[in-house]
Amino acid sequence: MNASARALRLWYTVRHLRPVQIYGRAWHRLHRPRIDLSPAPPAMPARGQWQGCARAPSMLGPNRFRFLNAEHDLRNGDWNDRALPKLWLYNLHYFDDLVADGAAARAGWHADLVRGWIAANPPGAGNGWEPYCLSLRTVNWIKWLLSGHAPADDDARQAALDSLAVQARYLAGRLERHLLGNHLWANYKALLFAGLFFDGEEGARWLDIGLRGMRREIGEQILADGGHFERSPMYHAILLEDLLDLIQLGERYAPAVSREDLELWRTRAASMLGWLAVMTHPDGGIAFFNDAAHGIAPELAPLQDYARSLGLTPPERSGEALQLLPESGYARLEYGEAVLIADIGEVGPNYLPGHAHADTLSFELSLHGRRVLVNAGTSRYDIGAERLWQRGTAAHNTVQIDDQDSSEVWSSFRVARRALPFAIGHGQDSGGVWLEAAHDGYKRLPGRAVHCRRWRLQEDQLRVEDLIEGRFARAVARYRTPPGLRIGAARVAGDGIEALRWRSEPEGLSAHVAASTYHAGFGRSEACDVLEVAVPRDTGSAAIVFTWTS
C-alpha cells in the first residue's frame, strides 16, 4: 500500500472519532497522576459474603497459571516478563482466580500472590498499573476481601487495603476516556466498587464518579434491544456479569445505592440476558461475530444462575421462529432442529469499531444441537497477519468480492470504510422462515458492487441465495465447518451428523473444499474445511442448499 492509500485509510478511520479520542490519547500518554501513599480510608461494613458468578480456576500452583489456553509460571516474581505475551500478562494482573470456583482451597496461595504483587509492582510502574488492569484487579480484590477467604492476619489485610486505596486514587486520575466503550465502563465499575467499599470523603468521591459515569455509559452502551453497542457477544457477556456484580454490591451496601440505580441495573441486566439467549447456540456457547471466543466471558447458563441468585428471573426462552435484535443488527431463525444466527447490522459504533470484523451478512448454523457452519473465531489481539485474517471477510460465512474485505479492517483494532446494511426484510409462512439483507461495503471498489443475501430455513433444509449487483472480477461465498466435520463432494460428514448434504443452484457452479483454520478460543487453532463457491460473473447470482433428515 502506497503513502496516499495509507493516508486515505487513516482519514476514513479517524473521521468518525470523537474529539476526546484524539486529544485524550495525547493527554493519556503524557499525564500521570500523583502517587498518593496515604493510608486507606476505613472499610464500610457490608451485608453477608460475596457470592459471584461461576468461574473456572486459572491458578494451578503457587506460581503457575493458565490463561488464554496457555500455561506459564510467574518466574522470580517478574510480573512484566517480556518473554511472555502481553495479553497473558494482563490476565495475570487481573487476579480473577481470587473469586474463581474453589477459591477457599487456594486461600494461602492467594494471600501470598497479593503480597507478592504489592512488593513487585511499585505504584505507576508496569502492566499492572494500566487502567484496565487496575480496574479489573480493584474489583477482584474487593470481592476477595468480601468473600471471607482473605487473610485474617491484620498486617496482611491492612497492606492489601492500603494498596487498594493507592490503586483507586491512581485509577481516578487515569480514566480511559480516549478509549471509551468497555474500557471506560470497567473504570467506572471499579471506582463504584471502591466507593462503596471505603468510607469517608475519598470513598464518597469515588462513588460519585463511578455512579455518574455508569449511568451515562449504561444509557449509551446498552442498546434498546439489550445488546452491548460494540456488537461482540463475548464483550456483551462480560458487561452483563458486571451489571450483575453491581446489583449484588448495591444490595450488600444498601441504602448507599439508590433504588433508582438498582432498578436501572436490574432492568438492563434482564434485557441483556434476553439478548444473550438469542445469540447463544443450542450447545450453550456464544455465536462468533466480531471479536468472540470461548473461555473469556461466562456463558449464558452461569449468568442465568447468577441472576437467579440475585432475585432476577431470566427471560423465558422464546419459541418464535424469527427473533430480531434490530438495534444490534442480528437475527435468529429457528425451525425444527435447526438454529441460524445471522449478522445483518452495522459493525459497531461509528466512533468505536475496534472489536469489529468484516463479517456483514455472515451466519452460523446449528443442527440437532451441534454447530455445523461457523465463523472462524478469535485467537489473538496482537498486530499481525493472523489477527488481520481473523477479522477479515474470508474468515466468515459470507461473500468476499475481488479478494477485499467488506469493511476495511486493519491493524488490530482499526476500521476505515465500513459496510452499511440496508433492504432488510423477513417473514415466515407455513413452510419456513426467511431473512434478507444487502450491504454496500464493496461499492468503494471500481465495479460498485452490492451484495444481497437471502436465507430461507425450513424443517429439513437451508437455502442461502447470493446476488451481486454491479461488476466484479471474482466473488466467493464461503461456508466453514467446525473441526470434526468434513465437507465432501455433496455432503458433510462427521460424528453425530446424519445425512447433511449440499448442492448448488444452479447445478454445476464452481465449488471446491479448501483447508482452513478455526479458533474457538484465544491461543487455539484447529484445522477445518471450507466450502468455497464461486459466484458467476455473468449472472452475479448463486445459491447453496443444505438438506438434512428432519
Side-chain angles (χ1 to χ4, degrees):
M1 180 179 291
N2 60 36
S4 61
R6 286 195 298 271
L8 188 63
R9 184 181 66 180
L10 181 61
W11 161 246
Y12 280 115
T13 302
V14 302
R15 67 190 293 262
H16 299 286
L17 299 181
R18 292 180 172 179
V20 69
Q21 293 175 279
I22 300 173
Y23 69 73
R25 182 175 296 274
W27 172 256
H28 192 81
R29 183 184 296 270
L30 297 173
H31 172 70
R32 290 293 183 274
R34 180 178 65 88
I35 303 297
D36 185 346
L37 301 178
S38 303
M44 289 268 286
R47 295 185 179 89
Q49 293 184 342
W50 187 266
Q51 301 292 329
C53 187
R55 180 186 298 275
S58 54
M59 197 172 185
L60 310 179
N63 292 292
R64 189 161 183 82
F65 304 83
R66 180 175 178 82
F67 304 121
L68 310 176
N69 295 303
E71 292 183 19
H72 296 291
D73 290 323
L74 173 59
R75 300 179 298 183
N76 303 316
D78 186 358
W79 291 77
N80 299 288
D81 188 344
R82 294 192 177 187
L84 298 177
K86 195 173 183 70
L87 188 58
W88 195 94
L89 289 172
Y90 281 171
N91 278 265
L92 178 65
H93 285 274
Y94 296 162
F95 278 78
D96 284 340
D97 197 74
L98 295 188
V99 288
D101 299 347
R106 301 185 296 281
W109 293 355
H110 292 160
D112 290 342
L113 193 68
V114 170
R115 188 182 303 111
W117 187 91
I118 294 171
N121 292 272
N127 295 317
W129 289 87
E130 295 187 22
Y132 192 72
C133 291
L134 270 174
S135 298
L136 271 61
R137 183 176 57 255
T138 295
V139 168
N140 283 328
W141 281 25
I142 291 174
K143 290 180 181 179
W144 173 64
L145 289 164
L146 295 175
S147 69
H149 306 319
D153 176 77
D154 289 342
D155 290 341
R157 182 179 178 85
Q158 190 59 50
L161 290 171
D162 287 343
S163 176
L164 190 56
V166 174
Q167 294 176 58
R169 293 176 189 126
Y170 192 81
L171 175 61
R174 292 285 283 164
L175 299 179
E176 295 175 284
R177 294 190 177 95
H178 65 301
L179 293 180
L180 303 174
N182 69 85
H183 276 247
L184 188 57
W185 170 292
N187 301 162
Y188 287 136
K189 178 191 176 185
L191 288 179
L192 211 159
F193 260 71
L196 286 172
F197 182 78
F198 287 112
D199 201 355
E201 291 184 5
E202 277 195 306
R205 184 168 66 253
W206 296 332
L207 178 59
D208 181 61
I209 296 171
L211 275 174
R212 286 190 292 109
M214 187 57 71
R215 290 169 189 149
R216 186 168 57 249
E217 295 307 312
I218 287 175
E220 180 172 14
Q221 294 197 37
I222 309 305
L223 302 174
D225 60 17
H228 182 243
F229 77 156
E230 293 188 60
R231 273 82 164 180
S232 158
M234 182 177 76
Y235 281 94
H236 175 98
I238 291 172
L239 270 70
L240 172 53
E241 183 184 14
D242 288 342
L243 267 189
L244 295 173
D245 283 348
L246 291 179
I247 292 168
Q248 180 176 178
L249 188 75
E251 291 175 342
R252 296 204 181 282
Y253 284 100
V257 175
S258 70
R259 289 185 179 180
E260 290 78 11
D261 282 310
L262 273 172
E263 184 58 30
L264 173 66
W265 299 345
R266 286 179 170 275
T267 300
R268 294 305 177 93
S271 68
M272 292 180 77
L273 284 164
W275 189 96
L276 189 59
V278 174
M279 298 300 293
T280 295
H281 279 280
D283 64 10
I286 56 172
F288 288 171
F289 296 99
N290 293 320
D291 279 340
H294 297 320
I296 301 298
E299 294 184 340
L300 176 63
L303 287 166
Q304 289 175 326
D305 290 342
Y306 187 20
R308 292 187 187 100
S309 75
L310 300 173
L312 274 73
T313 302
E316 293 291 330
R317 180 184 176 277
S318 172
E320 295 294 323
L322 176 65
Q323 300 169 59
L324 296 175
L325 300 170
E327 287 78 22
S328 303
Y330 291 111
R332 180 187 181 103
L333 281 61
E334 291 191 49
Y335 214 92
E337 294 296 320
V339 172
L340 182 150
I341 305 175
D343 181 351
I344 53 172
E346 299 179 16
V347 299
N350 266 338
Y351 68 90
L352 198 67
H355 291 293
H357 288 199
D359 58 1
T360 308
L361 303 193
S362 69
F363 73 100
E364 295 194 324
L365 177 70
S366 281
L367 187 60
H368 302 296
R370 177 176 181 175
R371 300 183 197 215
V372 295
L373 294 175
V374 292
N375 291 320
T378 303
S379 71
R380 61 198 310 158
Y381 277 171
D382 55 316
I383 296 175
E386 181 64 25
R387 167 67 173 162
L388 195 61
W389 177 82
Q390 289 177 17
R391 297 183 73 203
T393 301
H396 301 86
N397 293 328
T398 187
V399 171
Q400 184 182 34
I401 295 178
D402 291 341
D403 300 315
Q404 299 295 307
D405 292 323
S406 56
S407 292
E408 289 183 291
V409 293
W410 63 282
S411 189
S412 286
F413 303 103
R414 303 285 182 261
V415 185
R417 287 170 288 189
R418 62 284 309 259
L420 291 176
F422 63 96
I424 297 169
H426 49 81
Q428 60 185 102
D429 51 40
S430 59
V433 58
W434 59 271
L435 174 72
E436 63 185 14
H439 77 81
D440 65 358
Y442 296 115
K443 288 190 74 174
R444 70 180 191 272
L445 303 181
R448 305 280 293 169
V450 170
H451 175 210
C452 311
R453 170 165 275 191
R454 179 183 174 91
W455 299 266
R456 180 172 174 81
L457 182 64
Q458 298 175 246
E459 187 168 358
D460 58 357
Q461 73 171 37
L462 167 66
R463 187 174 193 272
V464 186
E465 180 180 357
D466 291 304
L467 174 65
I468 300 174
E469 299 174 347
R471 295 177 293 107
F472 61 93
R474 164 182 158 85
V476 178
R478 292 184 174 86
Y479 304 90
R480 173 177 277 94
T481 57
L485 298 184
R486 302 304 303 269
I487 304 175
R491 65 191 298 265
V492 178
D495 292 340
I497 294 297
E498 298 180 6
L500 177 58
R501 306 185 67 84
W502 67 269
R503 69 176 187 272
S504 66
E505 291 184 357
E507 292 184 4
L509 288 181
S510 175
H512 75 283
V513 179
S516 189
T517 52
Y518 178 63
H519 309 274
F522 277 77
R524 292 181 59 185
S525 180
E526 300 173 88
C528 71
D529 286 353
V530 179
L531 175 64
E532 298 188 342
V533 181
V535 180
R537 291 174 59 186
D538 54 348
T539 64
S541 65
I544 291 292
V545 180
F546 295 92
T547 60
W548 53 84
T549 303
S550 61

